[in-house]
Amino acid sequence: MKRITTAALSVVLLAAATAGCTNDGGGSTPSGSTNVPGVTDTEIVVGTHMPLTGPAAGGYSKIAPATKAYFDYVNANGGVHGRKITYKIKDDGYNPANTQTVVRELVLQDKVFAILNGLGTPTHTGVLDFLKTNRVPDLFVASGSRSWNQADKYPGTFGFNPDYTVEGKILGTYIKENLAGKKTCFLGQDDDFGRDSLEGVQKILGPVAAKESYVTSNPNVGPQMGALKAAGCEVVVLATVPGFTALSIGTAAKIAFKPQFVVSNVGADPTTVGKTLGAAAPLMEGLVAANYLPLNTDEANPWIQLFKKVNAEHNGNAEFDNNIVYGMSVGYLFVQALQSAGKDLTREKITEAVQKNGFQGPGLVPLRFSAQDHSGYAGEQLTKVENGKAVYFGTPYTTDDGDGPVTAYQGQAVTPPQSGVPTA
C-alpha cells in the first residue's frame, strides 16, 4: 500500500511538473489558451507605455487612446474569436526609468498577454531584455530604431514605423534630387533616433556640413540653431519629436535663420507642431517630411473615413490628427495578427502570425515582417506643408537600412472591409 501511494504521488508530481513546463507564459495546453497570461475565453489583456505627460506628450499622448478606441469599436462588433480586447495604458513621461517601472507592473501585476506599441527609442530600449526574459510578445514598437529588428537576439520584438535609417535615405534622396548644391546640415535627438537618421541621410549625401544634437530634458535649442546658422546651412534635416520640431522652427525664426527644413515623420504632424507654435504656425509652410499612412486631411480616403467614424463613436470625437490615424492603424494591425493567430491563442502563435505577415491595411508600402526581419513598414512617401496641411507628392519609396537603392513602390492601395474589422 505504501509503495502504491508513493507511486501515485509520483505521478501527481510528474503531472504538475509537466503542466508547469507547458504553461510558462509562452506555451499552450491541450485545452487551448488556458493559463496563457492575459487570455481567457472572453478577454485579451494587452498593455503599453506612453508619454501621456512630459516632453513628448504633445501629440503622442493621443496615440494609445486612439488604439483603444479602435479596440472598443472591434469589441462592439463582437471582438476577435469571441474575445474582447482590454488595453492598459501606463504613463511613463518619456522617462526611461519610469518605463521600466510601468512595464514591470504591466507584466508582473497586470499579467498582460503582450506589450503593444510602447513608445520611444530611449524608453523602450531599456525594457527589451526584461520582456525577452519573461517571454512577453513585444509588438509594433512606436519608434523607428533598428534595435527592434534583431530577430535572433529579441525574437518577440517587432517594429512598426519605418526604421530611421530607411527614412534618412529617403529624405536624403529628396535633398539630392531637389536641393543639390545646398549646404545640408542636421539636428537630431541624442540617441539611436538621431544617430540612425543621420546615418541614413549620410548614406545618400555623404557627410553633412554641420550636425547638432539635443536632449529632451533641455527645451532650449538656441545654441544648436545658432551654430547651424553660423555654418551657413541652407537645408536642415530634423530628427526631432514634435515639441522639438516646433522649438527648432521657432528658434530659427527668432534669429532670422531660414533654411529649408526636412523633417522625420515622427515630428512632422502639422496639427501637433502647429498647436505648439501657436501664432507662429505659418512658419511650417513649405516644410518637407514623409509618411507611410493616410493623411488625416484626406477626407476621400476610406481609411480616414473609417477612423473618423471610430473617433467620433469611441474617442470622444478628439481633434483628428495623424497621431490618431497612427494609433488606429496600430490597432487594426494587432487585430489582424490576432485573427491570424487563431482562436487557440498563445504567445508563440501571435509571434508566428506576425512573422508570417501577409497583412494588408492602411499603409502606403508593405510591412517587412518575416522570421528574419522584424522591422515595420518598408518605406515612406514625401509630404509638403501647403496652406497649413501636409499633402503627399511624388510616389512612395522603399529601401533598406544598408546600401540598397531607394526605389519607387508601385503597389496598389487596399480599402478596409465594410465592417471596419479585419477577418482571418
Side-chain angles (χ1 to χ4, degrees), residues 271-293:
T271 304
T272 305
V273 177
K275 187 176 291 186
T276 304
L277 283 170
L283 292 171
M284 288 190 297
E285 200 68 15
L287 180 149
V288 173
N291 208 321
Y292 50 98
L293 297 170

Side-chain angles (χ1 to χ4, degrees), residues 71-371:
F71 290 158
D72 290 344
Y73 175 80
V74 171
N75 292 343
N77 284 273
V80 183
H81 297 303
R83 297 184 178 100
K84 304 293 177 70
I85 304 170
T86 296
Y87 197 32
K88 292 184 175 290
I89 304 166
K90 301 268 190 178
D91 180 17
D92 66 5
Y94 206 62
N95 181 318
N98 294 345
T99 307
Q100 296 197 34
T101 299
V102 300
V103 168
R104 289 181 69 85
E105 290 173 357
L106 288 165
V107 172
L108 301 179
Q109 297 177 23
D110 297 321
K111 308 291 186 184
V112 296
F113 170 67
I115 295 295
L116 175 66
N117 202 225
L119 187 143
T121 301
T123 49
H124 199 76
T125 301
V127 297
L128 288 176
D129 289 324
F130 172 77
L131 294 174
K132 176 184 177 180
T133 299
N134 286 274
R135 303 179 66 187
V136 180
D138 181 20
L139 305 179
F140 316 145
V141 183
S143 157
S145 171
R146 290 182 291 178
S147 297
W148 327 138
N149 185 22
Q150 300 184 76
D152 291 337
K153 186 175 182 180
Y154 298 112
T157 294
F158 297 82
F160 182 84
N161 306 24
D163 83 46
Y164 296 131
T165 303
V166 164
E167 178 179 66
K169 288 174 67 177
I170 292 171
L171 297 179
T173 298
Y174 168 79
I175 295 167
K176 183 177 182 179
E177 294 179 351
N178 296 275
L179 301 168
K182 301 284 187 182
K183 185 176 283 190
T184 299
C185 304
F186 181 88
L187 171 66
Q189 194 159 293
D190 189 18
D191 56 27
D192 285 347
F193 171 22
R195 289 186 285 271
D196 287 356
S197 296
L198 178 61
E199 181 176 340
V201 170
Q202 294 189 145
K203 280 181 179 290
I204 302 299
L205 299 179
V208 295
K211 57 187 176 182
E212 295 288 331
S213 64
Y214 73 91
V215 292
T216 57
S217 59
N218 181 11
N220 175 20
V221 293
Q224 295 93 321
M225 286 293 113
L228 295 178
K229 180 183 180 182
C233 301
E234 298 167 283
V235 179
V236 174
V237 179
L238 296 178
T240 45
V241 295
F244 279 81
T245 302
L247 276 172
S248 299
I249 293 171
T251 301
K254 288 179 181 178
I255 61 173
F257 178 37
K258 300 179 180 179
Q260 171 64 60
F261 286 106
V262 180
V263 187
S264 167
N265 80 93
V266 301
D269 175 55
T271 304
T272 305
V273 177
K275 187 176 291 186
T276 304
L277 283 170
L283 292 171
M284 288 190 297
E285 200 68 15
L287 180 149
V288 173
N291 208 321
Y292 50 98
L293 297 170
L295 297 175
N296 65 307
T297 53
D298 185 1
E299 302 283 351
N301 187 293
W303 291 99
I304 296 302
Q305 293 168 2
L306 169 63
F307 293 158
K308 290 191 83 168
K309 175 185 175 182
V310 174
N311 189 56
E313 294 178 359
H314 297 281
N315 200 31
N317 208 26
E319 183 179 22
F320 191 78
D321 62 14
N322 288 320
N323 296 293
I324 289 179
V325 175
Y326 178 98
M328 292 192 184
S329 298
V330 169
Y332 189 90
L333 178 59
F334 183 62
V335 171
Q336 284 184 300
L338 290 175
Q339 293 280 16
S340 179
K343 185 174 179 61
D344 184 15
L345 183 62
T346 66
R347 285 172 163 174
E348 277 86 358
K349 287 185 177 180
I350 196 71
T351 300
E352 291 166 3
V354 176
Q355 289 182 159
K356 183 180 176 183
N357 202 347
F359 303 121
Q360 291 188 315
L364 307 185
V365 295
L367 288 154
R368 282 201 151 105
F369 301 141
S370 70

Side-chain angles (χ1 to χ4, degrees), residues 3-18:
R3 285 194 299 271
I4 293 172
T5 302
T6 301
L9 180 59
S10 298
V11 170
V12 170
L13 291 172
L14 178 61
T18 304

